[in-house]
């Protein structure tokens, strides 16, 4: 169950990073709504990470959480924010996914 919680925490990390991207693109009241979304997603992500580390090793949980966040944010950047999708960028995103899966496979 804590692996599921950790994955959800990682998805909220993607959400708070995406909200920061939208804060940068907007002005006025809309900017404050995105910043509010950032704060809500940040809080949920951290609380879920804390919950997941009650039974998972902190090193593994943190690495998986940041890996999900990094991969998810890079994909959102490519799809939503029009970041470049070069061969090497996709290659290294793929190696990061492999590393997260490997950490899950070798953890207790």
């Amino acid at each position: 169950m804590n692996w599921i919680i950790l994955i959800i925490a990682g998805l909220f990390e993607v959400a708070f990073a995406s909200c920061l991207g939208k804060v940068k693109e907007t002005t006025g009241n809309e900017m404050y709504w995105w910043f509010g979304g950032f704060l809500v997603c940040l809080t949920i992500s951290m609380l879920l990470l804390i919950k997941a580390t009650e039974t998972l090793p902190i090193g593994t949980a943190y690495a998986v959480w940041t890996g999900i966040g990094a991969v998810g944010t890079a994909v959102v950047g490519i799809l939503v924010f029009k970041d470049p999708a070069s061969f090497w960028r996709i290659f290294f995103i793929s190696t990061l996914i492999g590393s997260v899966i490997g950490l899950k496979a070798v953890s207790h």
Side-chain angles (χ1 to χ4, degrees):
M1 181 64 177
N2 281 324
W3 280 104
I4 294 169
I5 291 171
L6 184 60
I7 291 168
I8 295 168
L11 295 175
F12 273 100
E13 184 185 4
V14 174
F16 79 68
S18 300
C19 286
L20 278 180
K22 294 301 280 184
V23 165
K24 189 174 83 170
E25 292 182 350
T26 57
T27 59
N29 287 336
E30 185 179 0
M31 179 189 69
Y32 293 114
W33 282 106
W34 285 110
F35 187 72
F38 161 78
L39 292 174
V40 168
C41 291
L42 175 66
T43 302
I44 293 170
S45 182
M46 292 297 166
L47 290 173
L48 291 174
L49 178 61
I50 291 167
K51 177 67 177 158
T53 58
E54 289 176 357
T55 58
L56 299 174
I58 186 69
T60 301
Y62 184 74
V64 169
W65 178 74
T66 57
I68 293 168
V71 168
T73 303
V75 169
V76 168
I78 290 168
L79 297 176
V80 175
F81 296 105
K82 307 301 182 220
D83 291 348
S86 67
F87 168 81
W88 288 111
R89 188 178 186 110
I90 301 300
F91 173 79
F92 287 115
I93 290 170
S94 300
T95 61
L96 188 52
I97 292 168
S99 297
V100 169
I101 292 169
L103 280 171
K104 163 75 171 94
V106 300
S107 70
H108 302 284

